[in-house]
Amino acid sequence: MLSRPKPGESEADLLRFQNQFLAARASPAVKVVKKADKRRGAGGSGDEERPPLQDSKDVVILEDFPDVLPALTPAPPKKSKFKNACVCFNDEDPEERLECQDRHITAVFSKIIERDTSTAAVTMPVPTGDPFPRAFHRSEIKNEVKVESGRKSIFAQKIAAKRAAEEAVTAPPAVETRRTHGRLAVSGAMCSPGSAEEEPLHSTKDGKPDDGVSTQQPHIITGEGLGSLESEREALAIHEENLQKLHSMTQEEILQEQRRLLVQLDPSLVAFLKSRHGVDEGQERREKPGPPEPGTESQHGAKETVKDFSVGGSGMEESVRTEKDTRMEITVDLPIKPQKEWIHMNNVEFEKLEWIKDLPHPRQKRTKKGMQARFSLKGELIPPDADLPTHLGLHHHGEEAERAGYSLQELFHLCRSQIIQQRTLALQVLGHVVQKAKAGEFASSLKGSVLRLLLDAGFLFLLRFSLDDTVDNVIAASVRALHALLVSPEDEEYLDQTFSWYQGMAVFPFTPNSEEEEEEEEEEEELTLMEKTPRKKSRDENKPDPDVARYDVIKGLLKTQFLHRLRYILEVVRPVPAVVLDILDILTRVARHSSEACSQLLACPRLIETIVREFLPIQWDPRVAEPGHLLTSLHGVACATAMKLIRVLASGGRNATARLLNKFELKSRLSRFIAEDPQDLPLCREEAIRLSTEAFRLWAVAAGYGQSCDLYRDLYPVLVKILQSLHHLLSDCQENPTFPLSIQRATAVVTLLTHVTQTAGCTAELQARLSSSGPGDGEQIPPPPVTWNQVSGLRPFLETSLRRSVQEISRLETWQALQPLTTTYIIYLGVYYSVCSQQPSLNPIDCLEEVERLTSEVLLPLLSQPAMHSMWDLLRPCSALCNPLSCSPAPESLPSIVSLSCTGGKPLMSLAGSKSPFPFLTALLFLINNVTHIHKGLVSKYTSVLDFKGLKDYLLQSWPTRPPSITPSSAWILRHEYHLQYFVLALAQKMAGTCPDYAQHASLHHCVAMALLSRLLPGSEHLAHELLLGLAFNPEFIPEGKTGGPEAADFSDILHLGTSTKLAQPGLVAAGFPKPRRGVLLGESYQHLPFIRACYLSLFVHLEPALARSQVAYQRRTYLVQSLLLPEVKGPILPSDWPFFPLISLYNKVTGAETRGAVLNSLPPDLVNTVTRNLQWVLLLETWRARVLQNISAAAKLARLMCVFLTGGDLFREGPVYCYTAALLALYCQPKVLDSLELDAPLPGLASFHDLYISVLEQFEGVSFGDPLFGVFVLLPLQRRFSVQLRLAVFGEHVSTLRALGVPLKQFPVPLERYTSPPEDNLNLLRQYFRTLVTGVLRHTWCPVLYAVAVAHVNSFIFSQDSTTQEADTARKSMLRKTWLLVDEVLKKHLLYYKVPNPESPMGIDLYEQLPPIRLKYLQMVTKKEPKENMQMSDPE
């Protein structure tokens, strides 16, 4: 007995059971019963055996039935389903019941003979690229062929139309073959007409048909359609006849016949024949594999390959093979072959089996064509030709299946998958891609920016939506990807390092500078500041989130309730420690964005409470400090990252700090983490030191606002203990692995003491104000709870530590490790002595003795160390000004995500690098300046500082170079470099009046000061004010004024080193007196330097609020500091053209009033003095400090100087203004300056020079009175190389100016060649020249310069014989004819006999005595047809 299959048995067991059952011939357990159709009657059918048919066809014979079908006119009545229902018993056989009811089988079956299908053409379906066959619609029936009349179903009509189409295709070949008999060769002999010289296929070397061809079966002639049993024999006979015909023909005859047939036959028929031959031959090759016979080689000895060519000889793709061949090929290519014994494999779906084939090999050769980037699961870019194994899981995609990796589009698609693992994996890969893109790994491999592409595709909001997921793994992956996008760990590391530098706590906000926002703000310039702020906030609130995120990612995230979701994750989801740390880093990055972002962080419900409660607890499980303990949750454990977040939040403002300290009880936590030594905290050693360091930094930030200083009294013993242990750090330098962290903690402690000392220094001042205030003085600021006496005792500890640290300067490795701590020691002493000098209880003698002792015992020995020389020499290699590329933005930096571009670390030889001398030397110069400020007699002892060669080389190279473009990374770096330059200049200012040898450095330091003024960034307004007040206009820094500088300028003019002498002629007068020499003007300017300084200082009123904030920070008045965030950086404080600021200010005032429709009747009463002081300062700089103004283009200088004529009506006619303007114009008309003049380039502050020039022309027409100085300014832009629109404006709309432009040729400072060469090619302007000349509008007596220019261009045009357009040729011939007919003989002679311009000539031009032969011949040719009589001259057009 056969057993049944059991669970666990394989398909092989099922096949074995099936074979056993068939071998046993046992009866099946189930009998299949086919029920008859009730609609055809109730008859049945038997299973009687039928006798075999004698015919070869399959014939079904039903006995006892007539051959003719019975008439169906009286159709059998339709049976009701329920009418014949009867009672059925369980023991009744359904088959017997069916047979007794189906009696009318004759109505359905009769003698059935199968159709003869031997001659039917079988057309297999054509494979397509669609996944399913095209759906058939009933509407297509009207286009089908109606084969038979009568009512047919849609399917029957479709089949009939298909058969008709097949007969139409298959019938012509047989008929054509029958008609042509032996003329038709086999399709293998067909080729394109373009290959007529090729040998016919299937031929031997002698050109005769091969023997193998005569025995093969016909390819084209199949006999279909003959309708008889002899069709195959008939087809073979025709085939043999064709072969005999081919044997009797030569090769040339075959090729000739072939070409004739290809021309006569239908191209579609030729294509069909060739496709049939290719299919049959390919099938024969597969059925009969083996080496080719020796006789099938071609004349070239190579194996013959059959190829298909189009009739036109241009190569077509191979025809589609039959389904049988395709299936055979797929079966061969598949790694497994389907077997007949397999269950449910009767119908093999080869399309589905294609997926189990081996992947094609990737492209091996690289191409220039761009390919889609694909990434591994680690975010690495996979090369296009990389052949990676499939078990890595990198081939699960449809597009480019042979290439490993996933594209960004596929990863985005997976992020929306319903499968958790796919969403998590996609987010993880995207996070890795972002991280590597920010590191610049794709910069050289990919085209474009990956981060920009991701953000434009909505990556930010994809992450935001993923944060709302309910699955912990998806949330973790989203947080990690968001961390990779927003946070740069290297940026945070370098910001922590610079925290203890001079002014290192103050940082710029990470707010993007959006061009779109700037444009919108420019439209609202008329609004006041109080009106702008609410308008800007409401504008951002009304914008959609994607629009806001496009220019500011952080602001866009804050609009999406981003903080609330992170709070929920921390409070409710309580993720793993890695996710918690990432969230805290993200919140820190948000806090660095702006003060508004800090306010939103504090306002988010329960966010700060959760962070303080969960990650800054007072007590926690001590087992977390055990070495082998696995930390599964960070909740309830103190975390240094959380303390850093609180510290960055506190930097946002004093109000935020007060809320953090009082509302969230951070004072108690500060006491907890500061009072206990890091090694006693129940944390791992590194984390404990970081936590203690961040606690000290938070306290230092609070002390910077004058807050939490009461903790100083409570923790004073702890601080003293720490100071006493600082000298032990030297012994632990080599042994302790946590030494760098200990140094950071020590620097944080010293920084804290520095700010506490600053706050204590303000106590006496505040106490005095409080005591002297009355009831009506308003609320007074209470003094801090720490006094000067409580902090003055710290100096001995820190000074002793400084002495010990300085002794290690000769040991390079130890000094490099101790340098950050030594820098904080020096900054502390500098702050201490600056505050000490302001204390009323100070004993001056004791203070001076301390300063002298510090100088003689510490500072002077330090400056004499050889290591100090090398540090000064490192200034230039580490400078950002001398090496602009050191602060260039990262390759993947985006304007919407601010970054310091520290990814990968800064180079060692950079300003923020480990070998940078800038922080230490800045602190040292800060201390020296404070020491010399207290003790003026020590200034001469520090002259060696300015004599260091490294410092001088650095200053010489740094000030002339153009500074790097202002970016967040460059602004952060340059601010610290500018501090060093300022302290060098401040020390130089002290030495200028006391040291006799200082004069050799004066010019260099003045140039550095002038360059620094145009570079200082927002937040440093105090430094700019100090430079303007004490150094920029200081006569001590301009030694040329008292060492023969004015005389040298006059001597230069006398020697014709410039072209200024032309404007120095006595003819240029204003108000009835001659213009003085340039030396006299320079001497007067030098004497008026104090008045010039007062003029400039009075005009910087708009900087007063920013100046007050900056003074509070630099003068260390902590009780007034509002925020440690600096103003947003949109550019330097002063523009590069600030020396022209008074002129620009007056011009803007006038034009602004005119724009609003008002009439400015009154200008400032000292208008003449203001403009004169401005021109004096510019003249002094242009003569003695020309390189200082080299960053201002010559066109910008000219445009600024034109403001003299556009301000105050006839202001330019005032004597001093006129003289200084003429002197400056002479400098700007020198050949080098004229060569660099580019009026077509965009100018800063000007929308268009053309508009400014139109205003100058209008002003000239109104108030010039033919002034030659004003006329020179009008003529300067009309040079040939500048825009033709400027010249058209003069000769077109403002042609009346030609009457007043009477600048004498001998006084015109610009060579005429700049106006006459090259020849003018603008036809409209040439016509204007000619019209003004012949109509008398332009005369030599009115405008000699432009008269000579117009004559030169018209003469060059009318005698030009160069090939040109027909319009130009007609115009110049017409002008020549009209010139020949002129009545004015003088003008006629000038136009015809002009030779070259000559300013020395009375007319400004030289003339030919007689025309050159070529010109004379050309003149005769043009005018020979003109009558000799006088003619009325018409318009030249």
Side-chain angles (χ1 to χ4, degrees):
M1 181 177 179
L2 298 175
S3 60
R4 290 181 174 274
K6 297 181 179 59
E9 292 180 344
S10 61
E11 294 184 0
D13 298 328
L14 297 180
L15 290 175
R16 180 167 48 83
F17 293 151
Q18 177 181 347
N19 294 333
Q20 292 177 2
F21 175 77
L22 295 177
R25 296 184 178 274
S27 59
V30 179
K31 184 177 182 180
V32 181
V33 177
K34 296 183 179 179
K35 294 185 178 182
D37 191 353
K38 294 293 191 295
R39 294 175 297 179
R40 297 297 187 183
S45 62
D47 292 336
E48 295 87 358
E49 295 182 0
R50 305 299 181 192
L53 296 177
Q54 301 299 327
D55 201 352
S56 62
K57 296 183 176 62
D58 297 331
V59 179
V60 179
I61 299 178
L62 299 179
E63 297 180 353
D64 301 330
F65 291 122
D67 293 339
V68 181
L69 290 176
L72 296 179
T73 302
K78 182 177 282 189
K79 302 288 184 177
S80 174
K81 182 183 288 186
F82 306 100
K83 184 177 181 180
N84 294 333
C86 57
V87 181
C88 301
F89 299 94
N90 293 332
D91 56 350
E92 284 188 3
D93 188 357
E95 185 176 359
E96 294 180 357
R97 221 167 104 246
L98 182 61
E99 288 179 355
C100 67
Q101 292 180 3
D102 293 340
R103 296 297 183 184
H104 302 285
I105 194 65
T106 56
V108 180
F109 295 105
S110 63
K111 183 178 180 181
I112 299 175
I113 300 177
E114 291 188 359
R115 184 174 62 89
D116 183 10
T117 59
S118 60
T119 61
V122 178
T123 305
M124 294 301 176
V126 178
T128 63
D130 299 331
F132 297 99
R134 186 178 63 85
F136 171 71
H137 197 267
R138 292 176 300 180
S139 60
E140 301 178 12
I141 288 298
K142 60 184 181 180
N143 297 329
E144 301 292 347
V145 180
K146 302 297 183 180
V147 179
E148 297 180 2
S149 60
R151 185 175 181 182
K152 287 191 176 184
S153 65
I154 295 176
F155 180 75
Q157 296 180 37
K158 188 72 177 177
I159 293 300
K162 185 177 180 181
R163 289 175 178 171
E166 290 175 354
E167 292 177 359
V169 172
T170 57
V175 175
E176 183 70 21
T177 304
R178 188 66 175 172
R179 191 183 329 121
T180 57
H181 294 285
R183 292 186 301 171
L184 181 61
V186 293
S187 62
M190 281 194 174
C191 62
S192 65
S195 60
E197 287 79 17
E198 295 181 4
E199 181 184 2
L201 302 178
H202 306 288
S203 63
T204 58
K205 295 181 180 180
D206 57 356
K208 297 296 181 180
D210 187 17
D211 294 339
V213 180
S214 61
T215 58
Q216 63 183 358
Q217 298 296 325
H219 296 286
I220 303 301
I221 307 170
T222 60
E224 297 179 3
L226 295 179
S228 65
L229 297 178
E230 302 296 333
S231 60
E232 184 177 352
R233 187 181 307 166
E234 184 68 19
L236 185 59
I238 297 174
H239 176 60
E240 291 178 352
E241 183 181 353
N242 287 336
L243 292 180
Q244 291 177 2
K245 182 67 174 178
L246 283 174
H247 277 288
S248 63
M249 297 172 66
T250 63
Q251 182 180 0
E252 290 75 10
E253 293 175 346
I254 293 176
L255 293 176
Q256 182 179 2
E257 186 70 18
Q258 183 186 78
R259 287 192 295 269
R260 191 177 63 82
L261 288 175
L262 288 174
V263 173
Q264 293 179 353
L265 294 179
D266 186 16
S268 59
L269 176 60
V270 175
F272 168 75
L273 295 176
K274 292 184 340 185
S275 64
R276 291 298 304 271
H277 173 72
V279 170
D280 295 341
E281 218 177 49
Q283 181 176 356
E284 290 178 4
R285 285 198 299 270
R286 287 189 294 269
E287 291 177 354
K288 299 179 181 181
E293 298 181 6
T296 59
E297 295 183 358
S298 64
Q299 293 181 356
H300 299 286
K303 293 184 179 180
E304 180 184 12
T305 56
V306 180
K307 297 181 180 179
D308 295 322
F309 299 88
S310 64
V311 176
S314 61
M316 292 176 57
E317 295 181 1
E318 289 189 358
S319 301
V320 181
R321 284 179 282 191
T322 60
E323 185 179 355
K324 178 178 179 181
D325 298 330
T326 306
R327 289 187 177 185
M328 291 180 63
E329 251 187 33
I330 294 176
T331 305
V332 172
D333 294 341
L334 292 178
I336 58 175
K337 297 181 180 180
Q339 304 294 331
K340 294 182 179 180
E341 294 81 6
W342 291 358
I343 299 175
H344 304 307
M345 291 295 288
N346 297 332
N347 184 18
V348 180
E349 301 180 58
F350 293 96
E351 293 80 7
K352 294 182 178 179
L353 292 180
E354 286 275 356
W355 285 94
I356 66 175
K357 291 173 57 177
D358 291 337
L359 291 174
H361 294 288
R363 179 186 299 174
Q364 296 299 327
K365 295 183 179 180
R366 296 182 179 271
T367 61
K368 295 182 179 180
K369 183 180 179 181
M371 300 184 67
Q372 192 174 32
R374 294 193 172 274
F375 303 90
S376 67
L377 300 182
K378 295 182 180 180
E380 299 169 345
L381 183 65
I382 299 179
D385 55 350
D387 192 3
L388 300 180
T390 56
H391 70 270
L392 299 178
L394 302 176
H395 294 81
H396 298 288
H397 50 81
E399 294 184 0
E400 299 179 327
E402 71 278 3
R403 289 188 58 195
Y406 300 95
S407 64
L408 296 178
Q409 182 181 0
E410 292 164 352
L411 292 173
F412 267 64
H413 183 72
L414 286 176
C415 288
R416 299 187 294 271
S417 173
Q418 294 183 356
I419 302 175
I420 298 173
Q421 291 83 352
Q422 289 184 350
R423 296 203 303 271
T424 306
L425 181 63
L427 290 170
Q428 289 174 349
V429 175
L430 286 174
H432 294 322
V433 170
V434 170
Q435 190 173 4
K436 294 183 181 299
K438 291 178 66 176
E441 296 186 12
F442 306 143
S444 60
S445 303
L446 296 182
K447 183 180 180 181
S449 172
V450 175
L451 294 184
R452 189 182 299 275
L453 178 64
L454 286 173
L455 291 180
D456 291 344
F459 178 60
L460 181 67
F461 293 97
L462 175 65
L463 297 180
R464 179 61 188 90
F465 300 151
S466 300
L467 282 179
D468 295 334
D469 206 300
T470 57
V471 182
D472 292 351
N473 289 342
V474 177
I475 294 176
S478 304
V479 170
R480 187 60 191 167
L482 199 61
H483 181 274
L485 178 65
L486 299 180
V487 180
S488 177
E490 291 83 359
D491 289 358
E492 294 295 329
E493 180 182 350
Y494 280 97
L495 286 173
D496 292 343
Q497 290 181 8
T498 59
F499 181 83
S500 298
W501 289 13
Y502 176 77
Q503 292 288 329
M505 286 198 311
V507 295
F508 292 107
F510 283 23
T511 305
N513 290 330
S514 173
E515 297 179 358
E516 177 181 343
E517 284 186 316
E518 291 178 2
E519 292 176 359
E520 293 176 355
E521 289 177 1
E522 288 176 359
E523 296 175 359
E524 302 175 358
E525 284 182 353
E526 297 181 3
L527 297 176
T528 63
L529 183 62
M530 299 301 294
E531 293 174 343
K532 279 185 180 180
T533 304
R535 182 75 60 89
K536 183 178 179 181
K537 289 184 178 179
S538 62
R539 185 174 66 242
D540 289 339
E541 291 175 358
N542 295 332
K543 281 185 177 180
D545 298 348
D547 292 348
V548 176
R550 182 167 52 85
Y551 64 84
D552 194 335
V553 168
I554 297 296
K555 189 180 291 186
L557 280 174
L558 292 177
K559 285 176 60 66
T560 63
Q561 303 295 319
F562 169 67
L563 299 178
H564 298 73
R565 180 58 184 173
L566 292 184
R567 189 267 309 159
Y568 176 84
I569 294 174
L570 291 176
E571 184 181 21
V572 180
V573 179
R574 302 171 72 89
V576 295
V579 179
V580 171
L581 293 176
D582 288 345
I583 292 177
L584 294 177
D585 287 339
I586 293 172
L587 293 176
T588 303
R589 174 62 182 81
V590 172
R592 291 196 184 277
H593 179 269
S594 59
S595 299
E596 292 78 8
C598 294
S599 301
Q600 293 191 39
L601 280 167
L602 291 171
C604 182
R606 301 195 310 279
L607 176 59
I608 305 301
E609 293 94 326
T610 302
I611 293 174
V612 174
R613 182 183 67 251
E614 297 292 345
F615 309 113
L616 292 174
I618 300 295
Q619 296 178 352
W620 60 89
D621 188 359
R623 290 180 298 175
V624 299
E626 297 177 1
H629 180 74
L630 180 62
L631 190 62
T632 58
S633 177
L634 202 59
H635 289 70
V637 180
C639 175
T641 308
M643 185 65 77
K644 180 179 179 179
L645 169 61
I646 301 300
R647 186 250 296 177
V648 176
L649 269 176
S651 302
R654 64 183 304 111
N655 294 332
T657 306
R659 290 182 61 185
L660 289 170
L661 292 175
N662 301 319
K663 180 179 179 181
F664 302 107
E665 301 179 355
L666 281 175
K667 284 188 178 181
S668 60
R669 286 167 168 77
L670 283 176
S671 302
R672 165 73 174 88
F673 300 129
I674 289 175
E676 191 169 2
D677 194 86
Q679 60 184 0
D680 298 331
L681 288 174
L683 292 170
C684 66
R685 182 65 183 277
E686 293 79 3
E687 183 66 17
I689 297 177
R690 291 191 185 96
L691 179 61
S692 178
T693 302
E694 289 299 336
F696 278 111
R697 287 173 177 169
L698 174 59
W699 191 5
V701 170
Y705 299 120
Q707 301 177 5
S708 69
C709 290
D710 53 343
L711 291 177
Y712 175 78
R713 294 177 300 178
D714 302 336
L715 299 176
Y716 183 78
V718 177
L719 296 175
V720 173
K721 181 180 178 181
I722 294 174
L723 292 179
Q724 291 174 344
S725 64
L726 289 180
H727 67 276
H728 295 297
L729 289 175
L730 295 177
S731 60
D732 298 340
C733 179
Q734 302 296 334
E735 302 175 358
N736 191 357
T738 61
F739 177 74
L741 296 177
S742 301
I743 290 293
Q744 292 183 17
R745 179 173 178 266
T747 57
V749 173
V750 179
T751 303
L752 163 67
L753 297 178
T754 301
H755 290 281
V756 171
T757 303
Q758 290 179 0
T759 304
C762 304
T763 304
E765 178 187 356
L766 294 176
Q767 188 67 42
R769 289 183 182 179
L770 187 62
S771 302
S772 61
S773 63
D777 293 340
E779 186 177 358
Q780 296 294 323
I781 300 175
V786 58
T787 62
W788 178 252
N789 294 331
Q790 294 173 344
V791 300
S792 59
L794 298 175
R795 183 193 58 80
F797 291 101
L798 295 171
E799 187 174 336
T800 303
S801 300
L802 174 62
R803 293 172 184 267
R804 292 178 179 176
S805 298
V806 168
Q807 293 175 0
E808 303 293 332
I809 192 172
S810 58
R811 300 168 57 186
L812 184 59
E813 295 182 0
T814 306
W815 171 252
Q816 189 171 348
L818 292 177
Q819 185 176 328
L821 182 58
T822 310
T823 301
T824 56
Y825 291 154
I826 296 176
I827 293 174
Y828 170 81
L829 290 177
V831 170
Y832 175 84
Y833 285 113
S834 66
V835 176
C836 177
S837 61
Q838 303 171 4
Q839 301 306 311
S841 60
L842 172 70
N843 185 349
I845 298 177
D846 294 340
C847 182
L848 293 178
E849 289 178 353
E850 290 178 3
V851 169
E852 290 177 354
R853 186 169 54 253
L854 178 67
T855 299
S856 60
E857 296 179 4
V858 180
L859 297 182
L860 291 181
L862 176 62
L863 291 173
S864 62
Q865 291 285 340
M868 285 298 300
H869 291 268
S870 62
M871 293 186 69
W872 293 107
D873 293 338
L874 286 176
L875 284 175
R876 188 170 63 176
C878 296
S879 167
L881 290 173
C882 301
N883 307 280
L885 295 180
S886 62
C887 55
S888 58
E892 285 283 352
S893 59
L894 297 176
S896 58
I897 304 178
V898 175
S899 172
L900 299 184
S901 303
C902 297
T903 305
K906 289 289 186 180
L908 297 179
M909 300 295 290
S910 63
L911 195 143
S914 59
K915 293 186 178 182
S916 172
F918 276 90
F920 177 77
L921 294 180
T922 302
L924 181 62
L925 290 169
F926 169 65
L927 175 59
I928 292 175
N929 271 279
N930 288 332
V931 167
T932 53
H933 179 73
I934 297 173
H935 198 321
K936 302 294 191 299
L938 297 177
V939 174
S940 59
K941 294 184 179 295
Y942 292 101
T943 54
S944 61
V945 174
L946 301 181
D947 292 333
F948 279 111
K949 184 178 183 301
L951 178 61
K952 290 190 292 185
D953 293 343
Y954 161 70
L955 294 178
L956 283 171
Q957 185 174 353
S958 63
W959 80 263
T961 58
R962 185 181 295 272
S965 59
I966 300 300
T967 61
S969 59
S970 64
W972 166 65
I973 289 292
L974 291 174
R975 179 171 175 267
H976 295 289
E977 184 166 357
Y978 295 156
H979 285 157
L980 181 137
Q981 291 189 354
Y982 170 76
F983 288 129
V984 170
L985 296 175
L987 183 60
Q989 181 182 349
K990 295 181 176 67
M991 294 182 180
T994 58
C995 300
D997 297 335
Y998 173 74
Q1000 58 180 335
H1001 306 296
S1003 298
L1004 171 62
H1005 292 159
H1006 189 254
C1007 292
V1008 174
M1010 295 299 297
L1012 185 59
L1013 271 172
S1014 60
R1015 294 174 178 177
L1016 286 173
L1017 300 174
S1020 301
E1021 290 82 3
H1022 170 67
L1023 306 184
H1025 183 265
E1026 290 296 318
L1027 290 176
L1028 286 172
L1029 191 62
L1031 202 146
F1033 304 98
N1034 191 338
E1036 298 293 336
F1037 288 90
I1038 310 177
E1040 295 86 353
K1042 53 185 177 181
T1043 58
E1047 293 79 4
D1050 286 340
F1051 188 66
S1052 172
D1053 294 341
I1054 293 173
L1055 294 178
H1056 302 280
L1057 297 180
T1059 58
S1060 56
T1061 53
K1062 289 188 177 182
L1063 285 178
Q1065 300 296 328
L1068 285 179
V1069 295
F1073 56 87
K1075 172 184 163 303
R1077 299 188 308 274
R1078 183 158 61 110
V1080 176
L1081 298 177
L1082 286 172
E1084 184 181 6
S1085 302
Y1086 184 79
Q1087 296 298 325
H1088 292 169
L1089 278 175
F1091 304 105
I1092 295 174
R1093 177 182 63 183
C1095 172
Y1096 276 85
L1097 288 176
S1098 65
L1099 289 173
F1100 289 102
V1101 181
H1102 67 286
L1103 294 177
E1104 284 188 358
L1107 175 61
R1109 290 193 300 267
S1110 178
Q1111 287 176 340
V1112 165
Y1114 281 97
Q1115 294 176 357
R1116 293 166 291 280
R1117 288 182 286 175
T1118 57
Y1119 60 92
L1120 294 177
V1121 176
Q1122 297 299 319
S1123 175
L1124 293 180
L1125 286 179
L1126 298 170
E1128 296 182 22
V1129 181
K1130 295 184 178 179
I1133 301 172
L1134 301 178
S1136 60
D1137 58 349
W1138 70 267
F1140 294 91
F1141 185 77
L1143 273 177
I1144 298 174
S1145 178
L1146 291 173
Y1147 172 74
N1148 290 336
K1149 186 176 181 180
V1150 172
T1151 55
E1154 293 175 353
T1155 303
R1156 292 190 295 269
V1159 179
L1160 199 63
N1161 295 322
S1162 62
L1163 287 170
D1166 58 343
L1167 175 64
V1168 176
N1169 289 333
T1170 300
V1171 176
T1172 303
R1173 303 301 178 225
N1174 191 170
L1175 296 176
Q1176 286 176 338
W1177 180 238
V1178 174
L1179 177 63
L1180 191 146
L1181 292 179
E1182 288 286 1
T1183 305
W1184 294 331
R1185 297 288 183 270
R1187 295 184 64 188
V1188 170
L1189 302 179
Q1190 65 182 355
N1191 291 331
I1192 310 175
S1193 65
K1197 294 177 182 178
L1198 181 64
R1200 271 65 177 164
L1201 204 55
M1202 284 181 175
C1203 295
V1204 174
F1205 304 95
L1206 299 176
T1207 305
D1210 57 350
L1211 171 68
F1212 69 95
R1213 297 185 62 82
E1214 297 290 338
V1217 175
Y1218 192 93
C1219 294
Y1220 283 101
T1221 304
L1224 285 173
L1225 178 62
L1227 294 177
Y1228 295 154
C1229 289
Q1230 295 178 356
K1232 290 184 179 180
V1233 180
L1234 292 176
D1235 292 339
S1236 63
L1237 193 61
E1238 294 291 341
L1239 301 182
D1240 297 334
L1243 301 178
L1246 279 181
S1248 168
F1249 183 83
H1250 180 269
D1251 297 340
L1252 177 69
Y1253 187 68
I1254 296 300
S1255 302
V1256 171
L1257 288 178
E1258 294 173 352
Q1259 189 79 353
F1260 181 81
E1261 292 173 342
V1263 300
S1264 70
F1265 301 104
D1267 183 78
L1269 178 63
F1270 202 166
V1272 173
F1273 277 89
V1274 173
L1275 292 173
L1276 263 179
L1278 300 181
Q1279 299 177 45
R1280 174 64 180 87
R1281 64 191 184 92
F1282 297 141
S1283 174
V1284 69
Q1285 300 299 326
L1286 302 176
R1287 299 189 290 278
L1288 285 173
V1290 173
F1291 284 88
E1293 301 174 0
H1294 301 276
V1295 70
S1296 59
T1297 58
L1298 299 176
R1299 181 70 181 265
L1301 277 173
V1303 181
L1305 285 168
K1306 293 185 178 181
Q1307 296 180 4
F1308 188 58
V1310 183
L1312 286 179
E1313 288 77 8
R1314 293 182 178 271
Y1315 293 81
T1316 59
S1317 179
E1320 184 63 59
D1321 55 0
N1322 187 277
L1323 186 57
N1324 292 330
L1325 181 58
L1326 289 167
R1327 287 170 174 168
Q1328 297 289 353
Y1329 283 159
F1330 190 75
R1331 179 187 291 114
T1332 54
L1333 287 172
V1334 299
T1335 57
V1337 176
L1338 179 59
R1339 300 181 183 179
H1340 174 267
T1341 54
W1342 293 346
C1343 185
V1345 175
L1346 292 184
Y1347 179 85
V1349 172
V1351 168
H1353 285 302
V1354 172
N1355 175 270
S1356 175
F1357 178 68
I1358 61 178
F1359 283 109
S1360 174
Q1361 300 183 33
D1362 298 337
S1363 59
T1364 182
T1365 61
Q1366 183 177 359
E1367 180 184 8
D1369 184 66
T1370 304
R1372 67 187 178 188
K1373 290 181 179 179
S1374 174
M1375 286 186 189
L1376 183 57
R1377 296 189 189 99
K1378 292 172 182 177
T1379 303
W1380 179 251
L1381 298 175
L1382 279 176
V1383 179
D1384 188 349
E1385 294 295 334
V1386 176
L1387 178 60
K1388 177 180 178 181
K1389 183 178 181 181
H1390 289 170
L1391 291 177
L1392 293 179
Y1393 289 87
Y1394 166 82
K1395 184 178 181 181
V1396 290
N1398 182 11
E1400 302 300 329
S1401 174
M1403 303 300 295
I1405 56 176
D1406 286 341
L1407 303 177
Y1408 287 107
E1409 294 183 0
Q1410 58 181 2
L1411 282 178
I1414 188 172
R1415 288 193 173 190
L1416 182 60
K1417 182 178 180 181
Y1418 180 73
L1419 177 63
Q1420 294 174 353
M1421 179 188 70
V1422 174
T1423 61
K1424 62 182 179 180
K1425 295 183 180 181
E1426 295 293 334
K1428 299 301 182 181
E1429 295 82 15
N1430 292 335
M1431 295 180 62
Q1432 182 68 27
M1433 184 171 54
S1434 61
D1435 189 81
E1437 294 181 353

